[in-house]
């Protein structure tokens, strides 16, 4: 339910660290899913229509998350983490957008996969993602 | 409404009281019996047990039935019964 | 038809079916004729949304009339004489066709003209 | 031979009706978030729907009374109206969610704007209903729904850790509200009342009699049992694929990845096809269930056998459900949110649609010697208590977890 939970509640109060953390979590989920999609294209084991439509949906989620984070007023001291999260969200949006535009291109998919891995550092899920995981960690520590 | 016509919905809505005003409960069902070709009201099933009967949870025993001939009057908001039917009172 | 039965348990709210087997409404109320001290006899059935209001709790009656209409015999509610009832079993079987008893609310047939309709 | 055909009908009705967008969403998300831990909730839902459907089928076969006829007869007009309004509202949400699902899946197949496809999907379904006879209707959606077995294959192919799978079947109390939200969601998704309205009305429409009771039991056991297997297949594959990767299936397009990753394009196609027809079948069942409810409550002529001209108000009712479902979709609500609301809210009205059937099924006046046996009788009441508890906690959990957003 990445759909902005905040929109369901009446108005969005300032994003506290927990919500910021959840936002980052949903970004890493999107990155993980993007990698599954990209894998399919790299190994030519999927259908381009599904890739294009679904990558577009995921890109939309990333853009929506970026916009939501950017608009929100954030708890004091969390501004730097918020800006970084917005930047990551936008890179995620761009990477997924690439996949949407070239859903059949194995080379593109490989680049997208690398970019998402860098964002997510998916070595193994428990591993330390250089961007998102570290960011999530700093957000929690700061709380 | 022509004289003498009573809708079942109205019976179901009325409070049942004995002559001396003691409440007997509500009418939950109306038992009818065939008498030479037409169906006459034999009695009213009243009281809390009556609800269970209507839900098909309990069978209404003969003694749960308040005889129609014991009904003295059908007022706009209540049914007056000659004497509290002994079984109904026990409910 | 059973020798003895309970009106709410077996008759009220039951399905009316005409002689051709067509469903034509439900028993929304039962008409009894008589008075205290005299026999009270089942003389007819009422069917149609006009009969709903009388059955709903008094405090909703005004709203019910607005929603379902007042009891206007012949339009929002129809009376079926008890003599027209042939059996009270799984459903309430009627002796004649719904149209003859004015019960076929399905009388408008906009869908006849649609192919396959 | 007739019995074999009847069983096939049961299996089809179960798959076409059982697995719908609610099962797909809740089982994939439960697997993604809680791995194997929530597997125990699926059998509870499946046993519940099997029990309820068997009773409804038996009541329909013996007394020729479908569910809403029983509800009206047993609860009377006032309570009956409340139950009718509540179930029509929830039914509308379900139809909207299912049509939304069809739109999303057609988009994943052909990549054109979603709203266009929701409209096309609804029109296609309505045309199919109009021309295809009842029997063919169930075959069409049911058989295609069998493609969902690709998820069971994926679950096996990915090599689950059978030890934790077994442990997953042992109910475990956890403190997280999200966990309990998913327990309610999984049980409610399996126990969608529209399936039973459709099933019992179908039994009356096909003129089932006491002779069909054995088939009715087989339908309930085999038909819904298979449905439950598919749900578990989705959850187990999600537990293996989504949970470790941290993927959160918040879109219908994510679910087919469960089959694409192990089986490539064929897996993806089978998943999309199975989902399209399971959800399409559910849209048909749900809109019919709505029309059945109104027609049976009011006493109109109803049923697919009676050609549209024979039951114009009934026919208009199910067409109306499609139209209203589309209108709800056009408001832009995400079909998956609609799905969660329709699943959780439908369990709230369930006790009041379940109780009258239970009361009639145990009533010798109506059922003769086909009354509830010892098992159905006792289990019937156990489930009534389960349903009341689930109904009471459903809305608080829905709000507390912000519809599973956690």
């Amino acid at each position: 339910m990445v759909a902005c939970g905040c929109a369901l509640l009446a108005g969005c109060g300032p994003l506290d660290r927990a919500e910021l953390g959840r936002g980052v979590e949903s970004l890493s989920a999107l990155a993980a899913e993007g990698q599954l999609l990209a894998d399919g294209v790299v190994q030519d084991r999927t259908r381009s229509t599904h890739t294009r439509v679904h990558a577009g949906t995921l890109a939309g989620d990333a853009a929506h998350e970026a916009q939501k984070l950017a608009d929100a007023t954030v708890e004091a001291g969390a501004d730097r983490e918020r800006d970084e999260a917005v930047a990551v969200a936008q890179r995620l949006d761009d990477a997924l957008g690439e996949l949407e535009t070239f859903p059949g291109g194995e080379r593109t998919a490989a680049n997208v996969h690398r970019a998402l891995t860098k964002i997510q550092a998916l070595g193994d899920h428990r591993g330390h993602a250089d961007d998102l995981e570290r960011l999530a960690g700093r957000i929690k520590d700061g709380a | 409404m022509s004289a003498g016509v009573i809708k079942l919905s109205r019976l179901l809505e009325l409070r049942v009281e004995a002559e001396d005003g003691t409440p007997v409960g509500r009418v939950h069902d109306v038992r009818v019996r065939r008498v030479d070709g037409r169906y006459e009201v034999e009695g009213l099933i009243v009281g809390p047990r009556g609800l269970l009967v209507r839900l098909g949870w309990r069978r209404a025993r003969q003694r749960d039935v308040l005889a129609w001939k014991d009904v003295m009057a059908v007022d706009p908001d209540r049914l007056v019964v000659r004497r509290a039917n002994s079984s109904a009172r026990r409910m | 038809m059973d020798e003895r039965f309970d009106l709410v348990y077996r008759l009220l709210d039951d399905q009316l079916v005409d002689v051709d087997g067509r469903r034509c409404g439900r028993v929304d109320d039962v008409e009894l004729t008589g008075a205290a001290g005299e026999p009270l006899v089942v003389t007819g059935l009422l069917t149609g949304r006009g009969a709903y209001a009388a059955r709903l709790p008094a405090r909703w009656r005004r709203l019910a009339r607005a929603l379902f209409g007042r009891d206007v015999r012949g339009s929002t509610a129809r009376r079926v004489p008890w003599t027209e009832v042939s059996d009270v079993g799984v459903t309430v079987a009627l002796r004649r066709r719904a149209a003859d008893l004015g019960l076929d609310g399905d009388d408008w047939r906009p869908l006849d003209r649609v192919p396959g309709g | 031979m007739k019995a074999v055909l009847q069983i096939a009908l049961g299996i089809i009705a179960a798959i076409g009706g059982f697995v719908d967008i609610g099962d797909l969403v809740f089982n994939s998300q439960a697997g993604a978030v809680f791995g194997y831990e929530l597997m125990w909730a699926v059998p509870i839902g499946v046993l519940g729907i099997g029990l309820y459907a068997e009773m409804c089928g038996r009541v329909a076969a013996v007394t020729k009374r479908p569910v809403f006829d029983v509800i009206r007869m047993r609860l009377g007009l006032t309570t009956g109206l409340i139950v009718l309004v509540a179930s029509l509202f929830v039914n509308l949400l379900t139809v909207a969610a299912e049509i939304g699902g069809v739109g999303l899946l057609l988009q994943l197949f052909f990549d054109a704007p979603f709203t266009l496809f929701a409209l096309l999907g609804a029109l296609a379904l309505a045309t199919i209903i109009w021309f295809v006879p009842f029997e063919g209707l169930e075959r069409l959606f049911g058989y295609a729904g069998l493609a969902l077995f690709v998820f069971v294959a994926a679950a096996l192919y990915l090599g689950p850790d059978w030890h934790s799978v077994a442990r997953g079947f042992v109910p475990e109390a956890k403190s997280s509200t999200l966990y309990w939200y998913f327990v309610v969601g999984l049980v409610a998704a399996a126990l969608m009342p529209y399936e039973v309205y459709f099933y019992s009305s179908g039994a009356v429409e096909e003129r089932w009699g006491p002779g069909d009771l054995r088939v009715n039991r087989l339908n309930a056991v085999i038909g819904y049992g298979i449905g439950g297997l598919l749900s578990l297949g989705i959850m187990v594959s999600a537990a293996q694929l989504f949970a470790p990767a941290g993927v959160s299936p918040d879109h219908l397009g994510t679910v087919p990845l469960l089959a694409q990753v192990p089986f490539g394009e064929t897996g993806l196609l089978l998943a999309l096809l199975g989902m399209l027809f399971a959800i399409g079948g559910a849209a048909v069942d749900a809109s019919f269930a709505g029309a059945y409810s109104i027609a049976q409550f009011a006493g109109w002529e109803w049923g697919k056998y009676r050609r549209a001209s024979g039951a114009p108000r009934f026919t208009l009712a199910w067409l109306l459900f499609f139209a209203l479902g589309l209108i709800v979709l056009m408001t832009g609500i995400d079909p998956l949110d609609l799905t969660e609301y329709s699943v959780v809210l439908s369990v709230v009205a369930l006790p009041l649609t379940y109780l009258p059937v239970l009361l009639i099924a145990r009533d010798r006046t109506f059922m003769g010697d086909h009354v509830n046996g010892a098992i159905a009788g006792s289990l019937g009441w156990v489930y009534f208590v389960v349903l009341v508890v689930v109904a009471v906690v459903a809305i608080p959990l829905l709000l507390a977890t912000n519809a599973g957003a956690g």
Side-chain angles (χ1 to χ4, degrees):
Chain A
M1 282 296 107
V2 167
C4 161
C6 164
L8 296 180
L9 313 176
C12 293
L15 273 183
D16 59 26
R17 283 186 178 280
E19 270 153 20
L20 186 56
R22 265 203 299 282
V24 168
E25 242 171 66
S26 63
L27 289 179
S28 83
L30 284 173
E33 191 169 343
Q35 282 180 305
L36 280 185
L37 264 182
D39 278 349
V41 178
V42 166
Q43 299 155 27
D44 187 19
R45 297 179 75 243
T46 188
R47 278 180 97 246
S48 58
T49 326
H50 179 264
T51 307
R52 181 184 313 123
V53 172
H54 197 48
T57 311
L58 298 178
D61 281 1
H64 175 75
E65 198 62 36
Q67 199 243 327
K68 191 186 83 172
L69 289 169
D71 293 351
T73 53
V74 187
E75 219 180 78
D79 290 88
R80 213 160 58 75
E81 279 86 4
R82 187 270 302 271
D83 298 342
E84 217 173 300
V86 171
V88 169
Q90 268 145 6
R91 276 171 45 212
L92 192 53
D93 181 6
D94 297 343
L96 292 165
E98 273 296 296
L99 204 54
E100 181 188 10
T101 324
F102 305 103
E106 275 120 29
R107 223 165 27 71
T108 321
N111 298 339
V112 167
H113 193 278
R114 257 192 306 283
L116 292 175
T117 312
K118 187 180 174 313
I119 290 174
Q120 174 79 338
L122 244 190
D124 64 47
H125 175 60
R126 293 290 166 278
H128 38 73
D130 64 353
D131 284 6
L132 277 177
E133 198 76 20
R134 216 165 19 77
L135 180 56
R138 282 211 325 273
I139 291 172
K140 284 201 188 64
D141 305 343
Chain B
M1 265 201 346
S2 57
V5 169
I6 306 170
K7 285 203 278 190
L8 174 60
S9 52
R10 186 151 166 264
L11 282 182
L12 296 175
E13 215 177 20
L14 297 176
R15 293 191 328 275
V16 180
E17 283 175 4
E19 268 175 298
D20 50 20
T22 52
V24 172
R26 312 247 8 176
V27 175
H28 289 292
D29 213 330
V30 172
R31 173 153 296 175
V32 294
R33 198 164 63 84
R34 194 193 350 244
V35 171
D36 46 59
R38 52 184 203 167
Y39 277 84
E40 284 183 16
V41 171
E42 184 178 60
L44 312 175
I45 298 174
V46 288
R49 182 177 169 78
L51 182 61
L52 290 180
V53 168
R54 198 176 73 183
L55 281 177
W57 180 256
R58 281 286 176 277
R59 312 269 342 108
R61 294 154 306 185
Q62 204 47 36
R63 57 190 175 79
D64 294 318
V65 181
L66 189 65
W68 176 253
K69 49 186 172 17
D70 288 340
V71 172
M72 290 176 56
V74 180
D75 294 346
D77 61 349
R78 65 188 187 126
L79 266 173
V80 181
V81 179
R82 176 158 298 106
R83 46 168 180 65
N85 175 308
S86 57
S87 65
R89 166 175 287 282
R90 210 174 39 258
M91 284 319 129
Chain C
M1 215 185 296
D2 291 352
E3 190 56 32
R4 169 185 284 115
F5 63 89
D6 297 343
L7 293 182
V8 175
Y9 185 64
R10 287 300 302 279
L11 184 61
L12 192 61
D13 292 315
D14 204 356
Q15 174 76 57
L16 289 170
V17 175
D18 78 359
V19 68
D20 299 338
R22 266 181 66 79
R23 297 181 181 95
C24 48
R26 282 188 176 276
V27 177
D28 295 314
D29 213 329
V30 178
E31 183 193 83
L32 304 164
T33 306
E38 304 162 21
L40 186 61
V41 179
V42 175
T43 48
L45 306 177
L46 288 182
T47 179
R49 52 190 168 78
Y52 281 13
R55 300 243 343 253
L56 296 173
R59 59 188 179 288
W60 293 1
R61 201 142 294 161
R62 226 157 36 77
L63 172 69
R65 282 209 187 89
L67 279 176
F68 303 114
R70 286 186 10 270
D71 177 355
V72 177
R73 282 311 148 80
S75 84
T76 62
R78 283 195 163 64
R79 178 178 180 277
V80 176
W82 180 250
T83 48
E84 291 292 343
V85 173
S86 62
D87 185 24
V88 173
V90 171
T91 58
V92 178
L94 300 174
R95 296 192 195 286
R96 290 193 289 158
R97 287 179 40 249
D100 306 338
L101 296 163
L103 292 181
D104 54 352
D106 287 342
D107 37 32
W108 45 274
R109 294 207 187 298
L111 296 165
D112 276 1
R113 284 175 299 284
V114 175
Chain D
M1 198 39 209
K2 183 169 184 302
V4 173
L5 268 178
Q6 291 294 356
I7 294 173
L9 172 70
I11 294 174
I12 292 158
I15 291 186
F18 183 89
V19 173
D20 65 0
I21 192 168
D23 299 295
L24 286 160
V25 166
F26 272 99
N27 282 284
S28 60
Q29 288 187 356
V33 177
F34 291 100
Y36 303 112
E37 289 170 10
L38 279 166
M39 294 183 70
W40 58 274
V42 175
I44 290 184
V46 170
L47 182 60
I49 189 78
L51 187 75
Y52 186 28
E54 192 280 328
M55 257 194 297
C56 287
R58 185 155 31 96
V59 166
V62 172
T63 69
K64 305 294 185 284
R65 291 178 191 282
V67 173
F68 254 86
D69 185 314
V70 168
I71 288 174
R72 172 85 194 260
M73 280 291 290
R74 232 345 120 242
L75 297 183
L77 185 67
T78 310
T79 325
L81 267 177
I82 296 168
V83 172
L84 178 70
V85 168
S87 64
L88 289 182
F89 171 69
V90 168
N91 212 60
L92 177 60
L93 294 183
T94 307
V95 170
E98 306 289 354
I99 292 179
V102 167
L104 288 173
L105 285 162
L106 287 175
Q107 189 183 23
L108 288 168
F109 264 113
F110 308 114
D111 183 16
F114 161 69
T115 37
L116 169 68
F117 270 117
L119 192 67
L120 276 181
L123 284 181
L125 289 176
T127 326
I128 290 172
I129 295 174
W130 191 269
F131 289 105
V132 176
F134 198 76
E135 206 61 45
L137 199 64
E138 297 212 14
R139 296 258 181 302
L140 173 70
F141 288 107
Y143 283 137
L146 291 172
L148 289 177
F149 267 95
V150 73
F151 289 117
V152 176
L156 299 173
Y157 181 85
L158 291 164
D161 160 8
W162 291 108
H163 175 62
S164 23
V165 166
R167 227 161 17 115
F169 277 109
V170 175
E172 190 196 319
K174 296 187 68 167
S175 58
S176 107
T177 49
L178 190 63
Y179 179 86
W180 290 109
Y181 171 76
F182 273 107
V183 170
V184 167
L186 288 166
V187 172
L191 264 162
M192 291 295 276
Y194 75 83
E195 289 165 22
V196 172
Y197 302 159
F198 187 85
Y199 178 70
S200 69
S201 304
V204 173
E205 199 152 0
E206 267 127 48
R207 293 173 181 73
W208 279 17
D212 298 295
L213 291 185
R214 196 174 55 79
V215 167
N216 177 50
R217 257 193 312 282
L218 290 174
N219 282 344
V221 172
I222 297 179
Y224 287 101
I226 288 183
L229 200 63
L230 293 174
S231 293
L232 287 173
I234 295 165
M235 187 189 290
V236 169
S237 45
Q240 294 172 85
L241 206 56
F242 290 160
V247 169
S248 159
D250 296 326
H251 299 284
L252 213 49
T254 313
V255 179
L257 294 177
L258 292 174
Q260 184 271 324
V261 170
F263 303 127
E265 189 166 352
T266 336
L268 178 68
L269 271 175
L270 278 174
L272 288 171
L273 189 73
M275 287 167 71
L276 179 64
F277 278 90
I279 294 177
V284 170
D285 291 1
S287 58
F288 261 76
Y292 281 135
S293 313
I294 307 172
Q296 286 158 16
F297 188 90
W300 302 338
E301 193 51 87
W302 53 271
K304 250 306 258 167
Y305 279 156
R306 300 219 173 16
R307 295 305 299 152
S309 50
R313 278 188 285 191
F314 170 74
T315 309
L316 268 178
W318 64 258
L319 282 171
L320 195 64
F321 259 98
F322 270 108
L324 290 174
L326 275 170
I327 291 167
V328 168
L329 273 177
M330 295 311 151
T331 61
I333 304 176
D334 173 357
L336 263 62
D337 289 345
L338 268 177
T339 302
E340 299 214 16
Y341 299 139
S342 83
V343 165
V344 174
L345 291 179
S346 71
V347 87
V348 176
L350 194 50
L352 272 181
T353 55
Y354 177 90
L355 180 63
V357 173
L358 187 55
L359 288 175
I360 284 265
R362 60 181 303 287
D363 186 333
R364 200 165 286 283
T365 317
F366 287 88
M367 297 294 284
D369 47 25
H370 297 298
V371 285
N372 274 355
I375 310 162
S378 48
L379 257 183
W381 285 108
V382 165
Y383 255 91
F384 180 61
V385 172
V386 168
L387 291 182
V388 169
V389 168
V390 171
V392 165
V393 299
I395 293 185
L397 280 173
L398 179 72
L399 298 176
T401 61
N402 189 345

